[in-house]
Amino acid sequence: MIQVLVVDDEALVREGFSHILNAADDIKVVGAVPGADAVRAVRELRPDIVLLDIRMPDVDGLTVLADIRRFQEPPVVAMLTTFDTDEYVTAALRSGAAGFLLKDTDPEQLPQLVRALARGGPVLSSKVARTVVDGYLDAGARDPSAVRLTARLTERERDVLVLVAEGLANTDIGDRLHLSTGTVKGHVSAVLNKLEVSSRVQAVLIAERAGLLAPSKEEDAG
């Protein structure tokens, strides 16, 4: 059972997300609290996943994210936002957020996205990925610092990183590359260490900036 904590200052949002997720057989919302109660709730409820509003009137979502990331075994945190562009996205990804979800995400997709987070995959709502992430990465231009970082990776580690970018869990990566799950975990840890990041999303962003990921069809056409 995937245990989820919803953090948002709007009661309607908390209730809506709780209702949708609790309808799934494998997901349980263990708490739904405003931002001021987030850190205490994480400490007491020990959720697997935290869905955290990035903009709250009583406390900054980035501050809450930083506090949660200081836990010895922090849960996976995905940020919630109302807008498909948000100036806080870059800071949140660099601070260890595992993804971004729009609050108007299709209810049918929401449980799937939570499952992807639980598997360790990076999760970015399509609108966020296109209008925010691609934008701040300056798509089409390779970042020299990212190229230098990815040059540290072995060929196998690059293969693993590309599959992480596809959102695959360790078991799925192992099946694809004919490796044990333990071996994949070792490769993922090595990738994060060599890229000097703390989350899969951050690693994927560096891979994107370094030009390791397959270009889109639009880029192919150009």
Side-chain angles (χ1 to χ4, degrees):
M1 186 69 70
I2 303 170
Q3 301 191 60
V4 178
L5 173 68
V6 178
V7 179
D8 195 291
D9 272 19
E10 296 184 32
L12 187 60
V13 173
R14 297 197 301 267
E15 293 173 5
F17 270 68
S18 298
H19 177 74
I20 294 168
L21 293 175
N22 279 329
D25 294 337
D26 58 340
I27 299 173
K28 178 181 179 181
V29 175
V30 295
V33 300
D37 297 330
V39 175
R40 176 192 56 77
V42 170
R43 183 180 297 111
E44 294 178 356
L45 301 174
R46 303 177 64 84
D48 303 306
I49 309 291
V50 176
L51 302 182
L52 172 64
D53 188 10
I54 198 168
R55 290 185 175 189
M56 295 179 287
D58 62 340
V59 61
D60 180 12
L62 294 179
T63 300
V64 175
L65 172 62
D67 290 340
I68 292 175
R69 293 288 297 171
R70 293 191 187 99
F71 279 69
Q72 186 172 358
E73 296 182 2
V76 175
V77 181
M79 310 302 291
L80 300 174
T81 180
T82 305
F83 310 99
D84 57 7
T85 56
D86 196 305
E87 65 269 26
Y88 295 153
V89 168
T90 303
L93 292 175
R94 288 175 176 169
S95 298
F100 265 82
L101 302 178
L102 292 179
K103 291 186 182 181
D104 62 356
T105 295
D106 187 332
E108 293 185 359
Q109 293 183 358
L110 185 58
Q112 299 175 23
L113 295 173
V114 167
R115 294 184 188 107
L117 288 166
R119 292 195 302 266
V123 168
L124 296 166
S125 291
S126 59
K127 290 182 181 179
V128 175
R130 179 170 296 277
T131 63
V132 181
V133 179
D134 288 349
Y136 98 78
L137 288 178
D138 188 20
R142 293 192 179 189
D143 183 336
S145 63
V147 172
R148 286 194 295 271
L149 286 171
T150 55
R152 302 174 179 178
L153 304 178
T154 65
E155 183 176 353
R156 177 59 79 192
E157 289 165 354
R158 289 189 179 208
D159 292 340
V160 169
L161 177 55
V162 169
L163 294 179
V164 166
E166 292 182 13
L168 298 184
N170 289 342
T171 53
D172 297 322
I173 294 174
D175 291 342
R176 186 80 66 88
L177 299 179
H178 307 291
L179 300 172
S180 70
T181 302
T183 299
V184 173
K185 287 182 179 179
H187 284 315
V188 171
S189 294
V191 168
L192 298 183
N193 184 53
K194 290 180 179 181
L195 297 185
E196 301 177 5
V197 296
S198 60
S199 75
R200 291 181 178 227
V201 169
Q202 293 170 314
V204 170
L205 294 178
I206 289 177
E208 177 84 21
R209 285 159 47 194
L212 291 186
L213 306 184
S216 67
K217 292 181 181 179
E218 292 179 359
E219 290 172 334
D220 283 340

